[in-house]
Each structure stands twice: as structure tokens, then as C-alpha cells.
Amino acid sequence: MAEMIFKYSAMNGGKTLNILQTAHSYEEKNFKYVIVKSIKDTKGQKNIVSRIGIEKEVDILLKENESLLTDKNYKIYYTAKVILVDEVELLNEKQIKELWTIAHLINVPVICYGLKSNFKGDIFSNGIAQIFAMADHIEEIGSSSLCSCGKKAIFNARKENDKFTDVGPDIIIDDGNNKNYEYVSLCSDCYLKYVKINSIEAQNLAKLVAKIK
Ligand SMILES: [Zn+2]
């Protein structure tokens, strides 16, 4: 049977471009592919949009608690050679279990693209925890997301009014309507330096350093 694969990177890591390239190679062979994204991803509305400006309309724009196992959705994907899911961190646990079942019961491969952690540095969602639990393969996409220091970016830091923050609503989409917010991909060292330097862990370690000299 087919597999469910999770491909992750930090923001701006080329995930959507990777989907568009994969879709293109299926298209060249006249193989049917289906693109799915959550309606919660308001960027590009019904399209997925890569950062170099290429867009493609999705086949299933999944509502917040919509099942993939409806007649309507099944008819869209059952003859597909692959299902490509963009921004999979916006799907819920149940939707991930459905994708896994589709791969393993009706033999349609599922490739999910997304972020593993949120701006707080925590696992992004229950959906992402579920995909880590169930994916047949987990792959990091290259290292095209770079921190400003030049190292590979791991974290998706949020800036509110130009200041790094790790408090606030879990999901704010950078669709152009949230001008006070900006996301910055950072390596672990810079994430600690700019975002988590006042965390309990960093403060406790600093105290140890000061005490034991
Ligand atoms: Zn850095």
C-alpha cells in the first residue's frame, strides 16, 4: 500500500514550491494529482502561492472540521496518483488519521508539507503531533530556509510591531491583512538569543553559570 509522508521546513523553506514541482512532474506524465489545503490558510484564498509568485488552485479547500471521507471528497481523490497537502499544520488530528487511512486502505500516496513548530517553539498543533505519530516517512526539506546569520532556520519566530514575541494567538496567517505581525525564520541560537533569552530555562542556566565560576 501507499504511504503518508511528512515533509517539513521552517517558513520560507520552499515547501509550496516543492508541491508545485511535484504537481508539475505528475502533470507531465498525465497522472492525476489532488492538492488539499485548509480554509484556515487564507493566504492566496483558493490557491497555494509560492514565494516566487507561482500559484495553483487547490482541489479540496478543507473546512475546519470537514471530513475527507465524504462522497464529494472521495470522488475527487480516489483516482489520484498522489494527494499533496499544503500547510498540513492547519489540519486537525482527525483529518490526519483520515489521510493515513486513505494512503493505507485505498493505496493513494499522501505527501504532507508543513511546519513542525509554532512561533512559541512548541509543536504546532495536535494535527502535527498526529502526523509525527503516524507518518511512514518524515523528511526535512533541504536547507533553503536560512536565518539572517546564515545558519539553517529551524524556528518560525513572530514579530509583533517589530518586536519578537512568544505570546499571543496561536495562529495568525501572514496573508497581508495582519500588518502588525511578521514571521522571521531563525536558527536555534538566534531563536534563543532573540525570543527565549528570558525563558525560565535560560534564566536558571544563567544563574548556575553565575554561581559556579
Ligand atoms: Zn541564526
Side-chain angles (χ1 to χ4, degrees):
M1 282 290 157
E3 295 183 328
M4 179 171 79
I5 298 168
F6 177 39
K7 297 191 180 195
Y8 68 89
S9 74
M11 291 176 95
N12 300 320
K15 290 183 292 298
T16 305
L17 195 59
N18 200 306
I19 292 188
L20 292 165
Q21 282 165 341
T22 307
H24 181 70
S25 48
Y26 276 79
E27 215 163 76
E28 276 184 332
K29 295 186 185 76
N30 284 320
F31 288 153
K32 181 179 170 177
Y33 60 89
V34 165
I35 301 178
V36 179
K37 80 164 189 176
S38 164
I39 200 163
K40 285 196 253 175
D41 177 16
T42 46
K43 188 178 170 184
Q45 290 155 359
K46 282 183 82 178
N47 294 338
I48 58 168
V49 186
S50 77
R51 88 190 130 129
I52 59 166
I54 308 169
E55 299 192 8
K56 197 168 244 326
E57 192 173 338
V58 304
D59 303 281
I60 300 176
L61 188 62
L62 205 57
K63 294 193 191 82
E64 195 161 346
N65 290 309
E66 183 180 345
S67 170
L68 282 149
L69 310 183
T70 58
D71 288 7
K72 179 178 144 257
N73 286 334
Y74 178 76
K75 280 177 191 157
I76 296 172
Y77 63 70
Y78 83 102
T79 53
K81 290 279 187 204
V82 71
I83 297 173
L84 303 165
V85 185
D86 196 22
E87 306 291 358
V88 72
E89 69 278 1
L90 299 175
L91 270 56
N92 65 30
E93 249 172 291
K94 192 168 163 277
Q95 290 162 336
I96 300 297
K97 288 179 183 173
E98 290 176 352
L99 287 168
W100 178 83
T101 309
I102 290 166
H104 290 279
L105 190 72
I106 65 161
N107 202 27
V108 180
V110 178
I111 312 177
C112 302
Y113 297 78
L115 306 173
K116 62 185 170 83
S117 59
N118 63 14
F119 75 107
K120 297 173 184 171
D122 298 329
I123 196 101
F124 198 100
S125 58
N126 291 339
I128 289 299
Q130 198 60 44
I131 206 162
F132 269 111
M134 296 186 102
D136 295 282
H137 286 294
I138 298 172
E139 282 172 29
E140 185 169 21
I141 298 177
S143 55
S144 55
S145 181
L146 290 181
C147 180
S148 56
C149 75
K151 283 193 207 149
K152 183 174 79 176
I154 302 287
F155 289 95
N156 310 296
R158 182 187 287 171
K159 272 184 166 179
E160 185 177 355
N161 299 319
D162 270 338
K163 284 194 179 129
F164 284 111
T165 178
D166 66 350
V167 292
D170 277 353
I171 297 170
I172 295 173
I173 305 284
D174 60 338
D175 58 2
N177 292 319
N178 298 303
K179 298 213 186 315
N180 300 333
Y181 296 94
E182 184 196 346
Y183 289 96
V184 183
S185 306
L186 295 178
C187 74
S188 300
D189 292 343
C190 291
Y191 188 72
L192 174 64
K193 189 168 148 193
Y194 298 126
V195 184
K196 291 290 186 188
I197 197 64
N198 295 319
S199 67
I200 306 274
E201 294 82 3
Q203 285 184 3
N204 285 346
L205 185 56
K207 277 183 211 157
L208 279 180
V209 171
K211 196 168 105 187
I212 306 173
K213 267 192 174 167

